[in-house]
Amino acid sequence: MEKQHFVPRVYLKQFCETNNNLFSTTFVEQTNKWSSIKIRNINSICYDNDFYNLDSKKANKHSIPNDFIERNAFWYEKEYYNLLISEALNGKISNTTIQRLPLFFLNMKARNPVFRNSITKENLNKAIEKSTLSMKEKFSWLDESNLTRIINKSKTIILSSDNIPKEFHVDSLLESTLGRNKVFQEILERISSYNIVFFKISNDNNFFITSDAPGFSIDIEERVHKIKYIDDIFHFMPLHPKLAVGLMNPIYHEIKDQISYIDATKEHIDKINYGTSSSCNKYVFGINDKHLKSVIQNIYCLLYTSDAADERSSVD
C-alpha cells in the first residue's frame, strides 16, 4: 500500500513554521466546539492508502500502471506550486504561471475527497434520470421500449458496484489526465476567462488558514460551497499564510485588469478564513497556534449554530 496525499505536501508545507509541522483543529459536532489545537506533521495528514490507484482491470485496459494517476496527474507538485508562490508574493507573476493557474485550482479541487464524497447512488440516480430524458430526445428515432431497456441495463451496471464513489472519482481523474474529460475541460475553459485577484497580507499578526479541502466557491446568493461551478461568482483558495487567490466571474466582478493584486484588509482575511473553515472536510490548519485559536474562538463557533451549517456539504 502507498500513502497518497489528497492535499499535496508541497502545498501544506507553505503553512508550516518549522520541521514540516503545522497547527490543526477540527469541529466536534457532538460538543458543538472546536477541538484543542494540535501540532501535526504534513506526512501524517491528508492522505489515504492507494487513494488514486486503478484496479487491475482498468489499468490493463489502458495499458498503464495502477498508480498512473498518482504519478502523472498532479504536475504542479514538482515545480509549479513553489514558482507560483514565489512570483505572486513578489508581485511579478509570469504569463505562463497565470495561464496554468485555473488548471491548478480545478485539479486541486478534483483530486480531493470532497469530490468523491459527493458521488452517491442517490446523486448518480438523479444524473441518470436527467440523462435519460436527454437520450430519449436525441435518439427519438429508436423504439422507446428498446431504448428504455438499454438505459435500464446501463443503470443497473453502474449502480451495482460496491465502490461507486472511488470508481467514478478515479475514472474522472484518469480521463482528465488523458485530456478526455469533457466536463472538466468545459469548466476549465470557462474559469480560464475569470479575473484573477491575489490577496496579500502585510500585517505581521494576520494569516490565512487552510484546510484538508483547500478552496471554496461563492454563489450568486453569497453562500459558501465546497465546489460549485453553476451560478458561481467567486472561487477562493489560500495559497500561503500571507497569500490567497480569487477567481472572479467577470459577469459579476468588473475590474480594469484581468490580473490584480490587493493588500488584504481584515474583512478580506475574515471572509476567506470563514469560507475555508466552513468548507473543510474535517480539519483546518494554521501556521500560528494563537491566531488559529483566535479564528475559531472569535468567529467560527457560529458555523454549526447558524444557517452556515447547511452550507458545509454543498457540492455542485
Side-chain angles (χ1 to χ4, degrees), residues 18-158:
T18 56
N19 301 322
N20 291 335
N21 293 326
L22 41 63
F23 296 94
S24 169
T25 183
T26 184
F27 194 86
V28 183
E29 295 190 48
Q30 292 86 342
T31 62
N32 205 41
K33 294 180 180 179
W34 290 89
S35 67
S36 58
I37 294 174
K38 297 180 180 180
I39 297 176
R40 295 183 181 273
N41 189 278
I42 62 173
N43 292 309
S44 63
I45 58 174
C46 300
Y47 77 90
D48 203 347
N49 291 323
D50 300 336
F51 190 68
Y52 302 111
N53 280 7
L54 303 166
D55 60 38
S56 57
K57 183 178 179 181
K58 178 74 68 173
N60 291 335
K61 177 183 177 181
H62 293 278
S63 300
I64 55 177
N66 66 348
D67 62 352
F68 178 83
I69 294 172
E70 175 72 7
R71 303 288 169 241
N72 295 275
F74 313 126
W75 48 272
Y76 44 85
E77 293 185 13
K78 296 177 181 178
E79 296 179 2
Y80 175 82
Y81 189 71
N82 286 328
L83 180 65
L84 168 64
I85 299 303
S86 175
E87 291 184 354
L89 285 174
N90 289 325
K92 296 180 180 179
I93 195 160
S94 69
N95 289 334
T96 302
T97 303
I98 280 292
Q99 288 168 2
R100 305 190 80 184
L101 182 58
L103 178 58
F104 158 74
F105 184 97
L106 202 55
N107 187 284
M108 281 281 286
K109 295 305 298 181
R111 72 184 289 177
N112 198 271
V114 159
F115 186 88
R116 184 175 296 187
N117 295 342
S118 71
I119 304 171
T120 63
K121 286 190 176 183
E122 181 182 0
N123 288 342
L124 283 175
N125 207 15
K126 290 179 181 179
I128 292 170
E129 293 297 329
K130 186 176 180 180
S131 297
T132 297
L133 296 175
S134 176
M135 289 180 67
K136 285 183 177 180
E137 292 179 3
K138 187 174 181 180
F139 299 102
S140 58
W141 49 273
L142 281 176
D143 179 73
E144 185 171 351
S145 61
N146 286 333
L147 181 59
T148 300
R149 179 176 54 81
I150 293 170
I151 292 172
N152 287 339
K153 184 177 180 180
S154 300
K155 180 178 177 180
T156 300
I157 293 172
I158 291 172

Side-chain angles (χ1 to χ4, degrees), residues 243-258:
L243 183 72
V245 67
L247 303 180
M248 317 300 215
N249 189 332
I251 296 175
Y252 305 100
H253 186 262
E254 295 183 7
I255 56 175
K256 182 180 179 181
D257 301 314
Q258 188 179 8

Side-chain angles (χ1 to χ4, degrees), residues 216-227:
F216 60 93
S217 307
I218 305 290
D219 69 10
I220 55 178
E221 296 181 358
E222 298 188 359
R223 294 178 300 182
V224 176
H225 299 265
K226 294 180 179 181
I227 306 173

